[in-house]
Amino acid sequence: MPKKQKKTKPLEIVRHAHKISELMLGKKALDIKIIDVRKITTLTDFFVICTSESGPQTRAITDHIHEQMKKDGMKAWHIEGYENLEWVLLDYVNIVVHVFSRESRDYYDLERLWADGHISQVHDEK
């Protein structure tokens, strides 16, 4: 029988989205944004998006998020794009993480597609 996943509280989801953005900052990701889509779709609650400057950096960002979230008890339901490192998607059900190369981010322009959501820019506090 499949293991039942515990229900995540809304405040926890918000905290996890911000933690993911901090993990991105820790690996020098660029142009980090959190898009709150709770009021416009049932697909997920948040998108956390960043730009990477190279394949190795994309791998480092992705691995860091995956490992740290697993330590916090959040295992990705699905990971896609890790082979090519142009656009890696980590699906945590309530949060979908997108790590883009600059070209892929410009091409797919998720901020425009989800412009009706609340978009927050994440900055390094330093």
Side-chain angles (χ1 to χ4, degrees), residues 56-121:
Q57 185 185 22
T58 298
R59 182 177 288 110
I61 293 166
T62 302
D63 290 347
H64 188 55
I65 292 167
H66 184 67
E67 291 164 11
Q68 294 302 311
M69 296 310 288
K70 199 186 306 184
K71 285 181 183 177
D72 283 357
M74 277 189 68
K75 189 172 180 207
W77 179 71
H78 182 71
I79 299 175
E80 201 168 309
Y82 192 80
E83 313 76 40
N84 300 321
L85 300 173
E86 285 296 313
W87 174 7
V88 178
L89 179 146
L90 296 105
D91 186 347
Y92 289 99
V93 182
N94 298 103
I95 302 166
V96 179
V97 178
H98 302 272
V99 182
F100 283 105
S101 68
R102 189 174 307 280
E103 297 79 24
S104 293
R105 178 130 181 215
D106 290 343
Y107 180 79
Y108 290 104
D109 198 7
L110 288 188
E111 291 93 333
R112 183 184 57 77
L113 290 174
W114 295 100
D116 290 340
H118 180 266
I119 301 175
S120 302
Q121 182 79 41

Side-chain angles (χ1 to χ4, degrees), residues 5-7 20 32 35 42 47 51 53 61 67 70 74 85-86 97 99 115 120 122 125-126:
Q5 195 160 352
K6 75 173 192 169
K7 181 122 171 87
I20 290 167
I32 302 167
I35 306 176
T42 58
F47 292 122
T51 301
E53 296 184 290
I61 293 166
E67 291 164 11
K70 199 186 306 184
M74 277 189 68
L85 300 173
E86 285 296 313
V97 178
V99 182
S120 302
V122 177
E125 297 296 320
K126 295 177 186 175

Side-chain angles (χ1 to χ4, degrees), residues 1-43:
M1 214 163 136
K3 187 176 174 182
K4 187 176 178 181
Q5 195 160 352
K6 75 173 192 169
K7 181 122 171 87
T8 308
K9 296 177 184 166
L11 193 55
E12 282 182 80
I13 297 166
V14 172
R15 276 197 293 260
H16 288 308
H18 284 279
K19 176 169 183 162
I20 290 167
S21 71
E22 291 167 11
L23 294 169
M24 290 172 167
L25 279 172
K27 292 298 178 183
K28 308 295 186 211
L30 305 173
D31 196 17
I32 302 167
K33 293 185 180 168
I34 300 173
I35 306 176
D36 183 343
V37 294
R38 291 177 287 186
K39 293 182 180 175
I40 58 174
T41 187
T42 58
L43 293 173

